């Protein structure tokens, strides 16, 4: 996982101009983009005094609606260069497809999927150095992390790679989630709980009615969980911690004091029309988000995540009925009961199966 130093601030305008030309944009459109940036100046504020104006020659401004899209073209140039045959990088091939995955970019978060050999890593470091010289980018190698996928530990090479290997059991933040090797559920949820507690610390000082606390619980506190819950189902202990924080906030107004629930949690999560408080249940919400992945995987497109999900689903067979095919009608077949034939299943696929089984049971009712 590459760490670019000030990724947006180091985008070279001349390099971006050439990249847009290579992508086929008209010269007039490119000149219009340059007009928005070429007159940009900056001033240094020191002890309340503004310094002289400095003419900028690079960077795309954060907060500008165009910035993420312009940076995508900038990153696509790097991807095209790394995928060129002349570089000769050996990459990880997925067992489900003949194509190989070399890189994945989301804004300034970049991951390379390389075969584990010293010669291959040296070539990748050299290729990234050439790109940085041309594009004005810079990589923080001391912040760049490598994950060695396999049963053995990373080999001891000489000289050592510029980056460092992530030890097992150590989490690192990538795309807003905690990733790593052999992580516990507590390690994955710890940053999320810290975020919720910080928000509680702010809202605990406000004098809110019960209706106001319900709004804050749904739209401020619990909403921070939905992104991660779309990828994972929390363990029972993690769910209990979240419920405890929400319960204390609802009945006491802060996270510090323990509160005795005036209404059972099963009643709280019911809609108001059914006598509940309308609190969104994290478990039900997670199941819905994960089950949505199954439906989305059958939409047009041949992305890698869809191929991987279909491949893993093909390892499950029906207990009742004929072998299923990857068709939409299988999703809503209420008579089909699935069992996983794998002895050892990873947490992500298990989460999807559990979520979809719960949704299927709800459809049958």
């Amino acid at each position: 996982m590459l760490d670019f130093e000030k990724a947006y601030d180091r985008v070279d305008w001349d390099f971006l101009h050439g990249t847009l030309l290579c992508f086929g944009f008209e010269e007039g459109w490119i000149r219009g983009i340059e007009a928005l940036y070429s007159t940009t100046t900056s001033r240094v504020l020191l002890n309340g005094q503004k310094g002289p104006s400095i003419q900028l020659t690079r960077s795309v401004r954060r907060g500008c609606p165009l910035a993420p899209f312009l940076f995508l073209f900038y990153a696509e140039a790097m991807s095209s260069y790394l995928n060129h045959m002349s570089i000769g990088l050996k990459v990880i091939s997925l067992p489900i497809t003949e194509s190989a995955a070399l890189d994945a970019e989301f804004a300034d978060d970049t991951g390379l999927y390389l075969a584990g050999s010293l010669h291959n890593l040296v070539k990748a470091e050299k290729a990234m150095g050439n790109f940085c010289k041309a594009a004005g980018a810079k990589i923080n190698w001391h912040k760049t992390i490598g994950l060695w996928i396999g049963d053995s530990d990373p080999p001891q090479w000489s000289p050592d790679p510029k980056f460092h290997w992530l030890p097992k059991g150590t989490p690192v933040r990538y795309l807003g989630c905690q990733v790593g090797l052999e992580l516990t559920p507590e390690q994955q949820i710890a940053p999320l709980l810290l975020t919720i507690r910080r928000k509680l610390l702010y809202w605990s000082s406000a004098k809110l009615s019960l209706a106001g606390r319900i709004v804050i619980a749904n739209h401020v506190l619990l909403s921070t969980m939905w992104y991660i819950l779309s990828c994972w189902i929390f363990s029972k202990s993690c769910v209990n911690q979240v419920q405890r924080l929400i319960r204390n906030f609802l009945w006491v107004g802060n996270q510090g004091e323990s509160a005795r629930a005036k209404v059972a949690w099963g009643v709280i999560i019911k809609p108001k029309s059914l006598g509940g408080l309308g609190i969104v249940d994290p478990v039900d919400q997670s199941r819905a988000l994960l089950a949505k992945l199954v439906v989305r995987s059958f939409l047009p497109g041949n992305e890698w995540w869809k191929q991987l999900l279909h491949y893993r689903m093909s390892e499950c067979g029906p207990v009742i009925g004929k072998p299923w095919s990857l068709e939409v009608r299988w999703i809503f077949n209420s008579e089909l009961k699935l069992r996983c034939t794998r002895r050892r299943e990873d947490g992500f696929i298990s989460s999807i199966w559990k979520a979809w089984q719960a949704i299927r049971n709800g459809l049958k009712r």
Side-chain angles (χ1 to χ4, degrees):
M1 293 182 287
L2 299 176
D3 183 89
F4 285 92
E5 178 182 311
K6 299 187 180 299
Y8 277 62
D9 295 336
R10 298 186 69 93
V11 174
D12 185 83
W13 293 345
D14 292 335
F15 181 85
L16 183 61
H17 177 97
T19 300
L20 294 176
L21 283 176
C22 292
F23 276 104
F25 288 93
E26 296 183 357
E27 184 68 31
W29 187 86
I30 297 176
R31 286 198 300 268
I33 296 297
E34 289 182 336
L36 299 175
Y37 287 92
S38 60
T39 58
T40 304
T41 60
S42 180
R43 303 175 73 177
V44 178
L45 182 65
L46 181 61
N47 295 330
Q49 300 295 323
K50 295 181 180 179
S53 297
I54 303 172
Q55 184 68 37
L56 301 182
T57 59
R58 61 183 183 182
S59 83
V60 288
R61 294 187 295 272
R62 290 184 177 272
C64 174
L66 280 174
F69 301 100
L70 294 176
F71 190 84
L72 284 178
F73 292 115
Y74 181 83
E76 186 62 26
M78 180 191 70
S79 177
S80 300
Y81 173 67
L82 293 177
N83 281 278
H84 198 271
M85 294 295 294
S86 61
I87 304 299
L89 293 177
K90 295 182 179 180
V91 301
I92 298 176
S93 298
L94 298 177
I96 57 176
T97 177
E98 296 179 356
S99 60
L102 171 60
D103 62 314
E105 291 96 11
F106 186 84
D108 57 344
D109 289 325
T110 302
L112 301 181
Y113 307 97
L114 302 172
S117 68
L118 179 60
H119 179 66
N120 198 42
L121 294 179
V122 170
K123 287 198 298 184
E125 292 176 357
K126 183 178 179 181
M128 290 305 306
N130 293 336
F131 172 79
C132 290
K133 290 179 181 178
K138 185 178 180 181
I139 297 178
N140 283 326
W141 288 109
H142 65 281
K143 292 184 179 180
T144 298
I145 295 173
L147 277 74
W148 183 268
I149 307 299
D151 296 331
S152 60
D153 294 329
Q156 299 296 324
W157 286 317
S158 180
D160 293 333
K162 294 181 181 179
F163 60 90
H164 66 276
W165 296 106
L166 185 69
K168 293 182 179 180
T170 302
V172 62
R173 185 180 178 86
Y174 182 69
L175 296 179
C177 298
Q178 299 296 312
V179 298
L181 303 174
E182 301 180 5
L183 298 183
T184 64
E186 287 72 21
Q187 287 177 301
Q188 294 172 333
I189 196 179
L192 182 61
L193 290 177
L194 181 60
T195 302
I196 294 178
R197 287 192 174 98
R198 287 175 177 172
K199 293 183 177 182
L200 279 172
L201 188 62
Y202 173 81
W203 287 104
S204 295
S205 60
K207 296 182 179 180
L208 301 173
S209 63
L210 177 60
R213 291 196 292 271
I214 292 174
V215 172
I216 297 301
N218 279 334
H219 300 287
V220 178
L221 303 178
L222 291 173
S223 62
T224 60
M225 303 174 56
W226 303 151
Y227 172 70
I228 297 179
L229 285 179
S230 64
C231 309
W232 205 264
I233 286 184
F234 289 162
S235 64
K236 187 175 181 180
S237 62
C238 296
V239 172
N240 289 338
Q241 292 184 61
V242 174
Q243 291 179 353
R244 189 182 304 112
L245 290 174
I246 300 300
R247 182 180 65 245
N248 292 345
F249 177 70
L250 283 177
W251 304 122
V252 179
N254 59 62
Q255 58 176 327
E257 299 182 24
S258 178
R260 183 177 180 180
K262 300 178 181 179
V263 182
W265 181 262
V267 177
I268 289 177
I269 61 177
K270 288 183 179 180
K272 294 181 179 179
S273 59
L274 298 179
L277 297 181
I279 295 294
V280 180
D281 184 25
V283 176
D284 289 343
Q285 182 76 353
S286 177
R287 288 172 177 170
L289 293 173
L290 288 171
K292 190 177 180 180
L293 287 177
V294 179
V295 179
R296 288 178 55 198
S297 69
F298 290 95
L299 296 178
N302 197 33
E303 294 86 348
W304 284 325
W305 73 269
K306 293 181 180 179
Q307 297 181 48
L308 179 61
L309 184 58
H310 290 175
Y311 173 76
R312 298 301 298 273
M313 288 196 303
S314 67
E315 297 177 339
C316 295
V319 177
I320 301 176
K322 299 179 180 180
W324 58 273
S325 59
L326 296 177
E327 298 178 1
V328 177
R329 68 167 181 267
W330 165 80
I331 299 178
F332 299 102
N333 188 351
S334 59
E335 297 180 357
L336 192 62
K337 297 182 180 181
L338 298 176
R339 61 178 176 85
C340 194
T341 58
R342 289 175 60 94
R343 292 184 178 180
R344 187 177 180 182
E345 191 62 56
D346 63 66
F348 177 69
I349 298 298
S350 297
S351 298
I352 293 180
W353 280 122
K354 292 177 182 177
W356 184 244
Q357 288 172 359
I359 297 297
R360 280 162 46 84
N361 292 336
L363 290 176
K364 285 190 284 187
R365 289 195 298 267

